[in-house]
Structure formats: C-alpha cells, structure tokens
Amino acid sequence: MNIILLGPPGAGKGTQARILEEGRGMIQLSTGDMLRAARTSGTEMGQRVAAIMDAGELVTDEIVIGLIEEKLNGDHGGGFIFDGFPRTLAQADALGELLEKHGTSLDAVVEMRVDDDALVARITARSTCGDCGEVYNDLTKPIPADGKCSNCGGTEFKRRADDNEESLKVRLMEYYKKTSPLIGYYYAKGKLAPVDGLGEIDAVASEISTVLDA
Ligand code: AMP
C-alpha cells in the first residue's frame, strides 16, 4: 500500500509516519528529512537548499522529485508513506508517473486537518532525537524525564532551524498557496481520506488505521 500524508507543517505527519512504519512495515519517505540529511553531510545540493529551507520556502520541484525517484528504485517493503511530498501539483503529477513506471499506484491520501493556532503552538514546542529522529513535543509528548530518547536511548535533542514563528508564517503561506490545491486534486481522483489531526497521537493513529483499512 502506498499513501501520502498531506497536511500543513506541524500537522503530525512525521509522528504518524513512524507509527505506520512500525505497525505496517511501510517505509517513510520524507523529503524534508532527505534535504536535512543532505545539509548535514554538506553536499553541494544541501548547501544550495539551506537558506531556502531556513526561510520556510519550497525548494525546486526538480530537486525533490529527483530525491524521491532515487528512493523508489529501492526496496518496496510494505509500501511507501510519502511525508511532505508532494507539495505542488507538478510534484503530484510526477509522483503518479513514477509510481506507474514502477508498476504500482497510490492507494490513499490521508489529509491531516489541524487549525493554524494549534500548528504554531505545536511547532514552537517541537524537538527531535539527534540520533534516531524520534519526534517529541513539550505539550503532547515531552522528552522522557530521564533525558533519554524512548526509541534509541540517545541523549541529544535538537530543534529545527525553521521551527520558529517567522519561518512558520512563510511555511504556512507556501502550504496554502502551493500545497493545499492537492486536496482538490486527490479528491477528484477519489483518493482523499480526511482525518482529524487535532486529537491525541494514538487517537489520530487509530483514525488513520480505520481509513486505510476501509
Ligand atoms: P518538512 O520537514 O517536510 O517540514 O520540510 C522542511 C523544508 O524542506 C520545507 O520547508 C521546504 O523548504 C523543504 N521541502 C521538504 N519537502 C519539500 C517538497 N516536497 N517540495 C519542496 N520543498 C520541500
């Protein structure tokens, strides 16, 4: 099964993708994680996108489509969870073509609905484990009291450079201008499955499970 998790920054896509990976043996493909990895390893592309990402703007379609294309050549496992991709109509068209080329297709697009006020609060409270990327949130899922990551035991936690109110404003505007048209696009294709992304992590996970098994 191949699915997209669609929603604004802070909707909980990364958290739910990890739950789906564990529960269903699916593979998370996060273009945001891939771009951050390219920056950390200092590749030429990583350096080129750094300022764009920090400002909260979208990098070019060509770059992210290329990243996804490379991953689709790998193991399909239990299917892919596209997290943060596609973000434009051109990326959505490209994804459809790439999946077709690999003899597969998209099963569902889970639209995670969360209102903007909740997004600001969530994003400014967010951190991740520096070793495994487990996502924490001061409000909903704080770092364990012993200071160790519950997934890998790591003790280094970091906040994203773009998780601040200023770049969040740009990220939200990019979402509404360029990504939200995908809601209509996938609705018209009969793939859209909206879920309430505001609830507790487990409640959202169970709603997603229900729509995927429907
Ligand atoms: P994310 O981790 O998904 O919030 O992505 C972080 C940043 O990476 C975004 O604000 C963009 O600058 C860039 N990015 C990630 N995925 C894409 C994409 N599909 N298209 C364009 N830019 C992206």
Side-chain angles (χ1 to χ4, degrees):
M1 172 176 252
N2 298 308
I3 68 164
I4 293 172
L5 295 181
L6 182 65
K13 301 185 296 290
T15 301
Q16 295 299 329
R18 284 178 159 252
I19 293 173
L20 287 165
E21 276 197 317
E22 274 176 30
R24 293 177 181 247
M26 299 174 79
I27 299 170
Q28 175 194 19
L29 294 184
S30 156
T31 40
D33 285 350
M34 294 173 208
L35 292 166
R36 278 184 289 279
R39 289 179 64 169
T40 308
S41 57
T43 65
E44 189 267 327
M45 183 271 278
Q47 290 173 359
R48 225 171 347 124
V49 297
I52 299 171
M53 291 175 74
D54 287 346
E57 291 162 12
L58 295 189
V59 310
T60 64
D61 290 334
E62 193 191 357
I63 288 178
V64 287
I65 292 167
L67 289 171
I68 289 289
E69 191 167 11
E70 273 173 34
K71 299 285 176 181
L72 292 188
N73 291 326
D75 181 15
H76 281 225
F80 293 111
I81 307 156
F82 297 96
D83 163 9
F85 179 93
R87 264 175 154 101
T88 64
L89 291 167
Q91 292 176 25
D93 281 339
L95 178 61
E97 285 162 23
L98 284 173
L99 289 172
E100 196 181 337
K101 201 169 107 189
H102 284 83
T104 183
S105 60
L106 200 58
D107 295 282
V109 178
V110 177
E111 182 207 349
M112 300 182 62
R113 295 189 171 165
V114 180
D115 66 61
D116 288 1
D117 290 341
L119 296 176
V120 178
R122 277 187 184 190
I123 283 215
T124 47
R126 171 159 92 169
S127 57
T128 53
C129 171
D131 290 329
C132 73
E134 183 77 1
V135 184
Y136 292 94
N137 189 292
D138 304 341
L139 308 170
T140 53
K141 186 182 162 193
I143 293 164
D146 63 2
K148 290 187 182 157
C149 172
S150 54
N151 187 47
C152 75
T155 53
E156 297 273 321
F157 299 91
K158 49 186 190 185
R159 293 200 188 262
R160 280 172 45 171
D162 59 349
D163 275 352
N164 60 69
E165 279 196 48
E166 201 186 327
S167 60
L168 179 61
K169 273 188 207 148
V170 180
R171 286 156 74 196
L172 271 179
M173 195 51 83
E174 291 284 72
Y175 178 78
Y176 287 118
K177 281 201 298 201
K178 298 175 184 166
T179 309
S180 67
L182 299 186
I183 295 170
Y185 176 98
Y186 286 118
Y187 173 79
K189 286 181 181 280
K191 302 284 181 198
L192 197 70
V195 300
D196 176 7
L198 258 186
E200 298 280 321
I201 292 171
D202 290 348
V204 178
S206 112
E207 202 184 333
I208 292 177
S209 244
T210 306
V211 301
L212 295 184
D213 293 336

